[in-house]
Amino acid sequence: MLDRRDDITTPQRVDSPRASISGLFNRATARMPVPVMLAGAVCVALSSVFVPLTHVSTGTVTLFRSLLSMPFLIPMALSEARATPARPPHSRWTAYVAGVLLAGDILLWNQAIADSGAGIATVIVNAQVVLVPLLGWIFLRERPGAAFVAVVPVMLAGVALAGGVVGGGSGRNPAQGAIFAAAAALCYAGFLFLLRQASDEDHVVVPVTESAAASGVVALVVGPFWHGLDLLPGWAAFGWLAAIALTGQVASYLLIASALPRLPASVGAALLLLQPVGSVLLGAIILGERPTPVQLGGCAVVLIALYLATLTARRGDPGAGSSREP
């Protein structure tokens, strides 16, 4: 009988003999799901820094990050599918719906930034740190621990400081931007929750590939009506779009999908708060942006809160891990 405990340092199974891409991820995340999850968050942050360098519409970015990821994902997905047992049909549809929500998150998030400014949009979108555990509680009976609940306000306060909320806001339509950001938060939380359900120790690449394909289809359909869709963005933009596909679609979600099943929903959501912090720091390095001392202080607050959240889970705080019931 498989061990049902979701301790963040103990995998549910590590003795699978299957030689596949998912097997490699399984071994890599067996003892260190937290570092793997953080690496995925850094990849997402890196791709978000590349977006302004493309100078194309959000729909174009969403389409090409999916399209250009396929030459990398499809061969790995086929290899994984041949080496692993068949998946239940509902798992495939779960991944497709996750991809639809990912596209919604990307499209809505970028519009929220334009309307309300990056600071406010960042705070609202990162409500996923609360929404993902809430979904886990409702659908999987995973109750977050009291210590995690206590540290959530600290995390969000740090994100607010890192996003530049303190010291003045920006944006042409804050109210509309807040609505878009809230919708993006719901989409992102749903995407993370469903990707976690569609992935397991045998299947990592296939769910990521399916969700990426669904995201691209949504961008192709919606993009022309959402600030336009440029199918010939030019070579300079194409290079940055390829970088976004490799970091923000291939590397990031392969890492995240492999770590999510091994982490409580609350801890996985908290670790992804490294993404806005990473965006601030990488923006300073790559784009020459100058974060204020307040923003740097907010980054420090988030990092400390992340450490406390994961430390609580490691020590076996009741509810810090999932309490899945059959």
Side-chain angles (χ1 to χ4, degrees):
M1 182 178 295
L2 296 180
D3 187 358
R4 296 285 293 177
R5 292 174 299 173
D6 284 335
D7 182 84
I8 66 171
T9 60
T10 304
Q12 293 178 352
R13 187 179 68 206
V14 295
D15 57 351
S16 174
R18 299 182 182 88
S20 65
I21 296 296
S22 59
L24 294 176
F25 279 108
N26 186 38
R27 289 191 292 273
T29 58
R31 296 297 176 186
M32 52 179 187
V34 170
V36 169
M37 192 71 166
L38 290 175
V42 170
C43 288
V44 174
L46 186 60
S47 68
S48 68
V49 173
F50 292 156
V51 169
L53 299 174
T54 65
H55 302 290
V56 297
S57 68
T58 303
T60 303
V61 171
T62 308
L63 172 64
F64 275 91
R65 66 181 283 163
S66 170
L67 185 64
L68 296 178
S69 70
M70 289 299 132
F72 299 92
L73 290 175
I74 289 177
M76 291 190 291
L78 292 175
S79 174
E80 179 180 272
R82 287 193 295 267
T84 56
R87 300 161 62 210
H90 70 81
S91 181
R92 178 173 292 106
W93 286 105
T94 299
Y96 290 149
V97 176
V100 172
L101 293 175
L102 175 62
D105 165 56
I106 298 170
L107 294 170
L108 293 165
W109 155 246
N110 281 270
Q111 186 59 43
I113 292 176
D115 286 342
S116 63
I120 297 294
T122 297
V123 174
I124 297 175
V125 166
N126 278 280
Q128 59 86 14
V129 76
V130 178
L131 295 175
V132 173
L134 182 61
L135 291 173
W137 191 2
I138 294 172
F139 293 103
L140 303 178
R141 301 177 185 177
E142 295 181 1
R143 286 187 291 182
F148 174 81
V149 173
V151 88
V152 164
V154 180
M155 294 179 187
L156 295 180
V159 172
L161 296 174
V165 173
V166 175
S170 61
R172 60 195 181 194
N173 194 337
Q176 178 175 285
I179 294 173
F180 281 131
L186 289 171
C187 288
Y188 192 46
F191 163 71
L192 292 173
F193 178 78
L194 292 177
L195 184 64
R196 182 174 183 247
Q197 299 309 112
S199 307
D200 55 41
E201 291 141 8
D202 290 322
H203 305 98
V204 174
V205 186
V206 172
V208 170
T209 305
E210 292 167 344
S211 65
S215 177
V217 171
V218 172
L220 188 62
V221 173
V222 177
F225 308 98
W226 191 269
H227 308 291
L229 186 66
D230 188 358
L231 299 179
L232 297 172
W235 287 112
F238 187 85
W240 290 115
L241 290 168
I244 292 169
L246 288 174
T247 57
Q249 191 68 55
V250 178
S252 62
Y253 290 120
L254 286 181
L255 292 168
I256 290 171
S258 65
L260 275 175
R262 300 183 180 280
L263 293 168
S266 57
V267 174
L271 292 175
L272 286 177
L273 282 181
L274 184 66
Q275 184 267 322
V277 174
S279 296
V280 172
L281 300 179
L282 291 171
I285 296 171
I286 297 174
L287 302 177
E289 298 176 348
R290 294 292 177 263
T292 67
V294 172
Q295 287 181 295
L296 294 176
C299 293
V301 169
V302 172
L303 292 175
I304 293 171
L306 290 178
Y307 173 76
L308 293 175
T310 56
L311 182 65
T312 297
R314 284 195 182 98
R315 288 180 174 175
D317 175 58
S322 71
S323 55
R324 233 176 252 178
E325 299 176 14

